[in-house]
Amino acid sequence: MPTVEVSDLKDGDFLLDVREDDEWQAGHAEGALHIPISDFVARYGELTEAAPQDGRVNVICRSGGRSAQVAMYLVQQGIDAVNVDGGMQVWAAAGRPVVTDDGQPGFVL
């Protein structure tokens, strides 16, 4: 499974958050696309519309398990996708901003 370290992600890299709604609402990376893993297959078209045509999809969850499943599925569909190693826990620990929908500071649930 291809992975990427949080420290290797740059501002503006495409990020797909596959955590559930309550986790997202507690806090997420600003600018990430949110499609919960439980809705992923039904909402797959949202990803293909939003993802950069020639860019990579960086998939993140809380710790890396769910995002690894989604990243593997995307790779099987021919999409350049990688799992963000350690997920939002490492994101927050690295000092990356975690926000709520209204832009306030959030936290990783």
Side-chain angles (χ1 to χ4, degrees), residues 53-67:
Q53 294 303 311
D54 295 322
R56 184 168 65 185
V57 175
N58 301 286
V59 189
I60 197 165
C61 67
R62 182 174 185 267
S63 61
R66 291 171 286 179
S67 53

Side-chain angles (χ1 to χ4, degrees), residues 24-92:
W24 171 265
Q25 290 166 1
H28 54 268
E30 191 170 12
L33 174 65
H34 178 230
I35 304 176
I37 192 170
S38 59
D39 296 338
F40 189 74
V41 174
R43 295 176 56 189
Y44 180 73
E46 292 176 42
L47 172 67
T48 58
E49 287 179 18
Q53 294 303 311
D54 295 322
R56 184 168 65 185
V57 175
N58 301 286
V59 189
I60 197 165
C61 67
R62 182 174 185 267
S63 61
R66 291 171 286 179
S67 53
Q69 293 174 34
V70 171
M72 187 166 304
Y73 173 81
L74 293 174
V75 167
Q76 290 170 348
Q77 305 310 307
I79 294 175
D80 181 10
V82 295
N83 185 34
V84 178
D85 194 36
M88 286 298 297
Q89 291 178 319
V90 170
W91 179 277

